[in-house]
Amino acid sequence: MTDVVPLTDPADPRLADYTALTDVALRRRREPAEGLFMAEGEKVIRRALHAGYPMRSMLLTPRWAETMRDVVDSATAPVYLVDPELAERLTGYHVHRGALASMGRLPLPEPGELLAGARRLAVLEAVNDHTNVGAVFRCAAALGMDAVLLSPDCADPLYRRSVKVSMGAVFSLPYARLTHWPRGLAEVREAGFRLFALTPDAAARDIRDAVRESAGSRTALLLGAEGDGLTPRALAAADDRVRIPMSHGIDSLNVAAAAAVAFYALTT
Amino acid sequence: MTDVVPLTDPADPRLADYTALTDVALRRRREPAEGLFMAEGEKVIRRALHAGYPMRSMLLTPRWAETMRDVVDSATAPVYLVDPELAERLTGYHVHRGALASMGRLPLPEPGELLAGARRLAVLEAVNDHTNVGAVFRCAAALGMDAVLLSPDCADPLYRRSVKVSMGAVFSLPYARLTHWPRGLAEVREAGFRLFALTPDAAARDIRDAVRESAGSRTALLLGAEGDGLTPRALAAADDRVRIPMSHGIDSLNVAAAAAVAFYALTT
């Protein structure tokens, strides 16, 4: 149990975790470096706690202090009460969900650990848009993938926007980051995974045929960023290139829809 | 062939189609009432023309007049040349694609016409977000659905944002609007379609089982808006309620991802 501490000075050092949340470039550097991430809104805060992330502090506007009474009561970290204007001044935006928590990061598992336990894996190359990372995690978790591997240049799944779009799936689906790219992909294949690269390329195999043939084996699906798609190096590292059959002259789906269809195809 | 007419006065009545494009409420009323819609950017304009929509006029900034020379040369509608500042002042936003066309709408087909020709149908209830409408059209076209039926309160597929998100799929996939809801759904079933309602409800049937059982029959998939989902009346009008199996405690996908998976399941 912790006291709720009303604060009124935006320069109070206890509020430092919450400053300039809209400055993406700054937060992108700062959050991993300082070992923190932001959970926004009641649902996400509860999910982060449930997943075992330690709370550094929480920032509430008065109307949320009551709704989140049980969270406050069980918190061991400080809880700060601020009015909505101060919250906006600090963070740079209107905090319409009225509750923010600064959470501590946990060490990521090693890729090898995930490879040992998973049957179906999503592997993301250079997905550097936070919304897309969040959307892919939500689909991967919902559709029964077991884990996610990220290339070194993928966006941070714990960035505020990724967390929100994922609906908290970034907390429930284990993930790791490969250090070497695309060399790390060899490790995936050596662990016994059949590595499929998803591409809109019409010369690739129909994903349905590829999945049928590999029934029973461990599979990893390699996905690239919207627009650029997978690099030639990543494509070359895969066992097979697969595509989702397209109609009506449409040449591609957006990355979240393509991922959803491919995950469904793999897990069905 | 038409002349390119330089214009400099934002109050010029020839520019009336292009005013206040960011005022969603206004454009929502105005565009259907005046029988027009906006095509934005070279690709979308070319696709709208290719789909047979008549051009009312086109607005270009100087650097696009050259790129779109062939479109200008074959146009019978007036083409206006304006500087980027005037374009922004008129429309209310920075027209970064430098080309806008006011296109004339075509009469929508009757639902009965679509029902006669389609084997696989998407039916949308109250999807009133333009982005979601566009995303669902893109997925439906890409994944081989034949047509879309809209409830009376669905957002306009020809609204600028829907067109853009659909990547032009709103031009290639035929659609119609039902006048009575949910009464119009009886017409779908009478035309021989098996009507599946997609829901996250755990009590619904696994979509894989439902699809397997109905192999060979004409199928219609009923989709609701994000958040609210389908109304009880729409659910009651369906032959069967189906769900996409979910894992990791995630309870739903966003509407575009759910639609993509369901369309894929239906067409596989």
Side-chain angles (χ1 to χ4, degrees):
Chain A
M1 163 113 198
T2 187
D3 281 339
V4 177
V5 184
L7 296 179
T8 53
D9 176 6
D12 192 308
R14 288 171 289 183
L15 293 175
D17 281 5
Y18 303 95
T19 51
L21 289 187
T22 55
D23 185 338
V24 182
L26 170 72
R27 302 297 306 195
R28 228 184 237 262
R29 279 196 311 274
R30 223 194 116 178
E31 295 187 4
E34 299 181 16
L36 64 87
F37 71 94
M38 282 291 133
E40 182 186 19
E42 181 187 358
K43 231 185 230 180
V44 168
I45 293 172
R46 289 184 189 278
R47 286 184 184 163
L49 287 168
H50 182 75
Y53 289 96
M55 188 184 278
R56 291 158 61 105
S57 69
M58 187 158 62
L59 187 78
L60 298 175
T61 56
R63 64 167 289 236
W64 285 91
E66 206 39 59
T67 314
M68 298 190 67
R69 171 56 46 197
D70 59 314
V71 176
V72 173
D73 283 348
S74 60
T76 50
V79 177
Y80 305 123
L81 197 70
V82 301
D83 67 31
E85 292 68 37
L86 176 56
E88 183 164 348
R89 219 167 123 193
L90 260 181
T91 61
Y93 71 109
H94 176 62
V95 185
H96 46 89
R97 285 160 199 245
L100 278 168
S102 173
M103 308 294 296
R105 291 180 183 242
L106 298 171
L108 287 185
E110 289 299 316
E113 265 179 72
L114 292 193
L115 291 171
R119 275 189 50 77
R120 283 179 293 231
L121 204 64
V123 186
L124 310 188
E125 183 189 43
V127 179
N128 44 30
D129 175 275
H130 291 117
T131 300
N132 284 342
V133 167
V136 169
F137 266 80
R138 182 177 176 187
C139 292
L143 295 169
M145 302 298 282
D146 300 316
V148 179
L149 282 185
L150 306 172
S151 72
D153 51 355
C154 275
D156 179 12
L158 293 183
Y159 183 74
R160 186 167 54 100
R161 175 90 193 141
S162 312
V163 171
K164 189 173 163 184
V165 172
S166 84
M167 304 287 278
V170 293
F171 304 143
S172 46
L173 198 63
Y175 68 93
R177 207 176 272 276
L178 292 166
T179 318
H180 304 288
W181 191 265
R183 190 145 49 86
L185 292 174
E187 202 185 329
V188 175
R189 294 175 61 191
E190 281 155 19
F193 285 84
R194 197 161 168 77
L195 182 60
F196 293 121
L198 187 67
T199 164
D201 186 346
R205 299 182 61 200
D206 187 325
I207 191 170
R208 292 172 295 202
D209 299 334
V211 166
R212 207 173 299 126
E213 254 177 45
S214 63
S217 56
R218 301 166 83 195
T219 45
L221 186 80
L222 187 52
L223 296 164
E226 201 141 274
D228 293 339
L230 292 166
T231 61
R233 296 194 309 160
L235 285 167
D239 289 298
D240 223 340
R241 296 182 308 140
V242 298
R243 66 178 168 82
I244 298 165
M246 295 279 148
S247 302
H248 283 100
I250 308 291
D251 56 4
S252 67
L253 292 169
N254 73 43
V255 69
V261 167
F263 296 154
Y264 178 81
L266 275 189
T267 56
T268 294
Chain B
M1 163 113 198
T2 188
D3 281 338
V4 176
V5 184
L7 296 179
T8 53
D9 177 6
D12 192 308
R14 289 172 288 183
L15 294 174
D17 282 5
Y18 303 94
T19 51
L21 288 186
T22 54
D23 185 338
V24 182
L26 170 72
R27 300 299 305 197
R28 226 183 237 263
R29 280 195 311 274
R30 223 193 115 178
E31 294 188 3
E34 298 181 16
L36 64 87
F37 70 95
M38 282 291 132
E40 181 186 17
E42 181 187 358
K43 230 184 231 180
V44 168
I45 293 172
R46 288 185 190 276
R47 285 184 184 163
L49 287 168
H50 182 76
Y53 289 95
M55 189 183 277
R56 291 160 59 106
S57 70
M58 187 157 63
L59 187 78
L60 298 175
T61 56
R63 63 168 288 235
W64 285 90
E66 207 36 61
T67 314
M68 298 189 67
R69 171 56 47 196
D70 60 314
V71 176
V72 172
D73 283 350
S74 61
T76 50
V79 176
Y80 305 123
L81 197 71
V82 300
D83 66 32
E85 292 69 35
L86 176 55
E88 184 164 348
R89 219 166 123 194
L90 259 180
T91 61
Y93 71 109
H94 177 63
V95 185
H96 47 89
R97 285 160 197 245
L100 278 168
S102 174
M103 308 295 295
R105 292 180 183 241
L106 297 171
L108 288 184
E110 289 298 316
E113 264 178 73
L114 292 194
L115 291 171
R119 275 189 51 75
R120 282 179 293 229
L121 202 65
V123 186
L124 310 188
E125 184 189 42
V127 179
N128 44 31
D129 175 274
H130 291 117
T131 301
N132 284 342
V133 166
V136 169
F137 267 81
R138 182 176 177 189
C139 292
L143 296 168
M145 302 297 282
D146 299 316
V148 179
L149 281 184
L150 306 172
S151 72
D153 51 355
C154 274
D156 180 11
L158 293 182
Y159 184 74
R160 185 165 56 98
R161 175 90 194 141
S162 313
V163 170
K164 188 173 164 184
V165 172
S166 84
M167 305 287 276
V170 293
F171 303 144
S172 47
L173 197 62
Y175 68 93
R177 207 176 271 275
L178 291 166
T179 318
H180 303 288
W181 191 265
R183 192 146 48 88
L185 293 174
E187 204 186 326
V188 176
R189 295 175 61 191
E190 280 155 19
F193 285 83
R194 196 160 169 79
L195 182 61
F196 292 122
L198 187 68
T199 164
D201 185 346
R205 299 182 61 199
D206 187 324
I207 190 169
R208 294 173 292 204
D209 300 332
V211 166
R212 205 173 300 125
E213 253 176 47
S214 64
S217 57
R218 302 165 82 196
T219 45
L221 186 80
L222 186 52
L223 296 164
E226 201 140 274
D228 293 340
L230 291 167
T231 61
R233 295 194 310 159
L235 285 167
D239 288 301
D240 225 338
R241 296 181 307 141
V242 298
R243 65 179 169 81
I244 299 164
M246 295 280 148
S247 301
H248 283 99
I250 308 290
D251 56 5
S252 67
L253 292 169
N254 75 41
V255 68
V261 168
F263 296 154
Y264 178 81
L266 276 188
T267 56
T268 293

